[in-house]
Amino acid sequence: MVADPYKQLAAALESRMNRVAAKQVAGVPAELGTMTGAGLKLDSFKYEMPDFLQAEGLILAPGDRVLAIPVAGGSQAVVVCKVVSPGG
């Protein structure tokens, strides 16, 4: 039986894109944090950050756990998404 050339092409492209994506995010220091009434508290940083950015469309409340990427030498952070436990 002859292998489907379209499936082979799709598999090759997917493999290549996965390798490229992995290289692009390697070394990005994403970390967990918690939203507070005064801003963002990163798990690895002692103080709250009142000046932070967030991805468009996020609705965050105090107590929400988030994934953030520190920027500007660590003086700011970009909140990428809200994270939840497997149960919701």
Side-chain angles (χ1 to χ4, degrees):
M1 179 173 199
V2 177
D4 183 348
Y6 295 107
K7 285 184 180 180
Q8 288 178 327
L9 176 59
L13 288 173
E14 182 179 17
S15 175
R16 174 75 176 139
M17 293 309 294
N18 285 339
R19 286 193 309 272
V20 169
K23 286 180 185 177
Q24 295 303 315
V25 297
V28 174
E31 60 182 277
L32 291 173
T34 303
M35 298 307 302
T36 67
L40 170 65
K41 169 70 176 77
L42 295 176
D43 290 359
S44 67
F45 192 60
K46 183 177 179 179
Y47 303 103
E48 293 179 23
M49 302 174 82
D51 188 20
F52 66 93
L53 303 168
Q54 70 184 46
E56 186 175 11
L58 287 180
I59 299 173
L60 302 172
D64 285 347
R65 295 287 287 161
V66 296
L67 182 67
I69 300 174
V71 294
S75 64
Q76 285 188 316
V78 178
V79 176
V80 178
C81 64
K82 179 179 171 180
V83 295
V84 297
S85 63

